Amino acid sequence: MRSPYINCQRADPVVLAHQLIAAARSGEQVEVCIDRVRRTEARIHDAAVESYTDAETFGVGVRVVVDGREGTASCGSFDADMVENLLSDARDNAAFASVDERAGLADPDGYQPTRSAHSPDDVDSLSPDQKIALALEVEQSARASDSRVRGVRAAIYGDHKVERAVVSTTGIESLTSSARAAISTSVLIDDVGGGTRTGFASAAEFVPSDLDPEAVGRLAVERGLRLVGASKAKSGRLPVVMQPRFAAAILGVVASMLSGERVFKGRSPFGDRVGSPVAAESLTIYDDPTDQLSMSSNAFDGEGLACRHVSLLTDGILEGFLHDSRSARGLEAAGTASAVRSARTSPSPGFRSLHAVAGEGDVDSMISSLRDGLLILSLQGLNSGVNPVSGDFSVGVEGLRIRNGNLAEPVKEATLAGSLPRMLLDISGVGADIEYLPGGSAVPSMIIDGMSIGGA
């Protein structure tokens, strides 16, 4: 008997999803998520192509919810022999699952999607030779920037295009495509005493031809040179200035603590603080995947609901949390269409495009306002150095001391420690210099008072 499933990696994801949904039984909810990802990468070392990758991957995931039990199954192919057993496998897995009153799929909520202003086909506008040429130009720019550049670890061009369909028996049907291109490099720079400093820079665009490889190579070198001759800092408490990329990293950790799933499980320090001041009045942050300037903009979340603006903190007041349908159900809250996932994983709430509202000034004005302080130039161990339940953290930093409003000597091997809830309250300045970052966030610089710096 001929299989009803499409046996072709070029299959239409929505058609394939509906074929699986059609086999749903009475009384069960079925969701199908299908991904097709195309990526290329050109890696350059010492003016030669170290590797070139052009790959396409596939994913099909099925969720079944019946009688309060949820089961999942997935595979990495559109081939009929693999796809046709997914629904029965998910049913079998559901039979062994515990009953969960939060189990269930998302229901359509009436929000209309914001369609992308960018064509995902733009990443195909360059030939492989042109993509390699961009990576070569990054390396050439870095090497030519300064005589102290000892070498370039790698210069990379990469792009990816994602096509995703989510279809369910609750009436969800979404299809979205997104793509972006990026270049990056890491350089090695001679330091005093025979040591080596490193510098890294990257950039991302929707259209590959908009990338500026010369600027990226030069920026990586500039960042490395700023720390040449660094010495250990003395321990103490100082205000720190964070440029947008570091402010975004810190706020990203905060946003991860605003996951409704963490709150439901009692693993967030902000769980009972809605409506209360949790940060300085100068801080307003929100998630907005509909912002077409963001590299992570998208029309739909991981459950097929239309993405939307989600307020998190307004003038320092906690407005709410990021929810997928499961966490919203558990906390009896309104959903925020914040599910993130791949086809082969279950949805969970998270942010896509974190924004902070602009304040006043920029990095230079912040530096000039301080008698003593530290400009952060490197932040290490953020993911492993934070306790997501308490918010306590300890991370490695490097930077430039600030003395009487001017940048002074570079420092290394320092430790920045404290509590993220306390840090939010100690923000004394939010800049107007919002930067759209390769990861999708749009954040300005910040000053945070009284940080504990551990050093010599």
Side-chain angles (χ1 to χ4, degrees), residues 158-290:
D159 61 46
H160 71 267
K161 181 163 60 175
V162 179
E163 186 178 23
R164 171 173 293 167
V166 178
V167 178
S168 75
T169 54
T170 63
I172 296 289
E173 179 178 318
S174 70
L175 177 65
T176 184
S177 297
S178 61
R180 71 170 193 166
I183 49 177
S184 64
T185 189
S186 178
V187 300
L188 303 174
I189 297 171
D190 287 332
D191 201 351
V192 296
T196 302
R197 301 299 317 176
T198 61
F200 175 82
S202 64
E205 298 285 353
F206 294 107
V207 181
S209 58
D210 290 341
L211 293 166
D212 188 341
E214 183 179 352
V216 169
R218 187 172 59 249
L219 179 59
V221 175
E222 289 174 356
R223 288 174 173 172
L225 290 175
R226 298 187 85 178
L227 288 167
V228 167
S231 58
K232 291 185 178 181
K234 292 183 178 180
S235 299
R237 300 187 69 85
L238 292 172
V240 300
V241 176
M242 291 191 175
Q243 299 171 82
R245 60 194 176 113
F246 300 119
I250 294 294
L251 293 180
V253 175
V254 173
S256 72
M257 296 178 180
L258 301 180
S259 155
E261 188 67 18
R262 286 186 179 275
V263 172
F264 179 82
K265 294 178 178 179
R267 297 176 180 172
S268 170
F270 303 104
D272 59 351
R273 302 295 304 280
V274 173
S276 300
V278 298
E281 291 184 4
S282 57
L283 185 64
T284 294
I285 61 173
Y286 58 92
D287 187 35
D288 189 6
T290 69

Side-chain angles (χ1 to χ4, degrees), residues 297-344:
S297 61
N298 214 308
F300 297 99
D301 82 333
E303 293 183 293
L305 295 174
C307 289
R308 64 208 63 170
H309 180 289
V310 181
S311 294
L312 297 173
L313 304 179
T314 300
D315 299 332
I317 305 297
L318 180 60
E319 297 278 0
F321 306 109
L322 297 159
H323 289 295
D324 63 358
S325 63
R326 181 185 181 89
S327 67
R329 200 174 292 120
L331 294 175
E332 298 181 350
T336 63
S338 298
V340 294
R341 56 104 64 91
S342 71
R344 303 180 71 177

